[in-house]
């Protein structure tokens, strides 16, 4: 692919519109584009490439917004380790997807259970090592309950909404295929809008994908250091 040099384009803008960015930064940006590393360019003091995982919490907060942490600590004095663990339970959608490196339409039950179990395991380990107090441990576990339900309920609803939208699209395709009139299409669209929330709620009630009992069992398995699924027995073993 032929890429017009970025430096030339910027210089052609004229002195009044030329941005305050160094030649080194421009060269690094060009290199990023040529290597398809669109997620790694960040103009700034370093004038170069910084991977997303190297960006500090303050800058990440500006990108994702203010954290919505599930844990509320009882005491005003909180250890650094407890605060670190509480940050793992950020309810924002972008925050959990960033942790899981998952950006598809929905997060599956098993992905959630694996993530939740790992967070709980870290809380248990910190308490066993004496890195957090009993009160901090209790507070973190209370936050953990809120975190798991908030995130699970959101993904459950998202999955249901996606299914409703999929069915809507399929029905509209069928209507167009049989030559439905403009009036029929408009009435169908109106019905979709008016009943959307009710259909999503009904689907959530019927769905067993995010069954809380099964979720709890999977979380405890990971929390105890086991694989989310028990390995299959070897062939021939009774």
């Amino acid at each position: 692919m032929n890429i017009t040099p970025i430096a030339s384009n910027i210089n052609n803008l004229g002195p009044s519109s030329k941005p305050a960015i160094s030649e080194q930064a421009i060269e690094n940006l060009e290199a990023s584009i040529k290597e398809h590393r669109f997620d790694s360019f960040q103009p700034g003091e370093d004038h170069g490439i910084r991977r997303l995982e190297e960006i500090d919490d303050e800058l990440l907060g500006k990108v994702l917004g203010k954290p919505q942490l599930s844990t509320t600590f009882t005491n005003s004095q909180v250890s650094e380790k407890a605060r670190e663990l509480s940050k793992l339970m950020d309810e924002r959608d972008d925050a959990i997807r960033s942790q899981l490196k998952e950006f598809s339409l929905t997060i599956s039950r098993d992905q959630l259970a694996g993530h939740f179990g790992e967070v709980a395991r870290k809380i248990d380990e910190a308490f066993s090592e004496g890195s957090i107090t009993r009160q901090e441990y209790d507070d973190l576990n209370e936050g953990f309950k809120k975190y798991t339900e908030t995130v699970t309920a959101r993904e459950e609803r998202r999955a249901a909404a996606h299914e409703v939208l999929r069915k809507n699209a399929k029905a509209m395709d069928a209507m167009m295929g049989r030559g439905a009139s403009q009036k029929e299409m408009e009435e169908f669209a109106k019905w979709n809008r008016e009943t959307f929330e009710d259909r999503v709620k009904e689907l959530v009630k019927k769905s067993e994908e995010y069954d809380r009992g099964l979720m709890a069992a999977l979380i405890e398995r990971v929390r105890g250091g086991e694989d989310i699924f028990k390995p299959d027995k070897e062939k021939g073993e009774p």
Side-chain angles (χ1 to χ4, degrees), residues 131-148:
S131 302
I132 59 176
T133 66
R134 162 59 74 174
Q135 187 59 60
E136 289 172 336
Y137 179 71
D138 291 343
D139 290 343
L140 286 165
N141 275 299
E142 280 301 311
F144 180 72
K145 291 177 186 177
K146 180 175 182 292
Y147 178 64
T148 55

Side-chain angles (χ1 to χ4, degrees), residues 78-189:
V78 181
S79 67
E80 185 60 34
K81 185 62 176 179
R83 291 194 183 282
E84 177 187 320
L85 290 167
S86 72
K87 291 178 182 179
L88 297 177
M89 296 179 283
D90 187 339
E91 297 172 6
R92 292 171 300 169
D93 186 48
D94 288 343
I96 187 171
R97 287 173 179 275
S98 178
Q99 286 195 63
L100 291 174
K101 295 180 174 59
E102 177 58 63
F103 299 97
S104 57
L105 287 172
T106 59
I107 303 174
S108 73
R109 176 199 64 206
D110 298 338
Q111 286 176 302
L112 287 181
H115 167 65
F116 294 152
E118 284 298 321
V119 170
R121 186 177 59 79
K122 290 176 181 178
I123 293 173
D124 291 345
E125 286 181 351
F127 182 61
S128 297
E129 295 167 357
S131 302
I132 59 176
T133 66
R134 162 59 74 174
Q135 187 59 60
E136 289 172 336
Y137 179 71
D138 291 343
D139 290 343
L140 286 165
N141 275 299
E142 280 301 311
F144 180 72
K145 291 177 186 177
K146 180 175 182 292
Y147 178 64
T148 55
E149 179 54 31
T150 298
V151 175
T152 301
R154 182 174 63 215
E155 289 306 317
E156 184 176 49
R157 186 192 183 286
R158 194 198 306 271
H162 175 63
E163 179 61 17
V164 169
L165 290 172
R166 187 189 68 79
K167 289 180 178 179
N168 286 350
K170 187 176 180 180
M172 290 189 74
D173 285 343
M175 290 179 69
M176 287 188 287
R178 67 173 175 78
S181 66
Q182 180 67 27
K183 182 179 179 181
E184 285 180 292
M185 298 296 290
E186 289 175 354
E187 288 177 348
F188 181 69

Side-chain angles (χ1 to χ4, degrees), residues 4 13 30-31 47 49 51 55 65 74 94 98 105 108 111 118 120 123 160 175 180 182 202 207-208 216:
T4 304
L13 293 175
E30 289 185 342
H47 303 298
I49 305 303
R51 293 290 176 184
I55 299 176
T74 303
D94 288 343
S98 178
L105 287 172
S108 73
Q111 286 176 302
E118 284 298 321
I123 293 173
M175 290 179 69
Q182 180 67 27
E202 187 62 28
S207 175
E208 297 181 357

Side-chain angles (χ1 to χ4, degrees), residues 180-220:
S181 66
Q182 180 67 27
K183 182 179 179 181
E184 285 180 292
M185 298 296 290
E186 289 175 354
E187 288 177 348
F188 181 69
K190 182 174 181 290
W191 176 83
N192 275 333
R193 290 192 300 272
E194 292 175 347
T195 63
F196 181 78
E197 285 299 328
D198 289 338
R199 284 180 289 149
V200 169
K201 289 177 182 177
E202 187 62 28
L203 200 55
V204 166
K205 289 179 183 178
K206 293 179 179 178
S207 175
E208 297 181 357
E209 175 62 22
Y210 296 88
D211 177 78
R212 299 303 192 271
L214 179 55
M215 284 281 289
L218 293 174
I219 290 169
E220 284 305 306

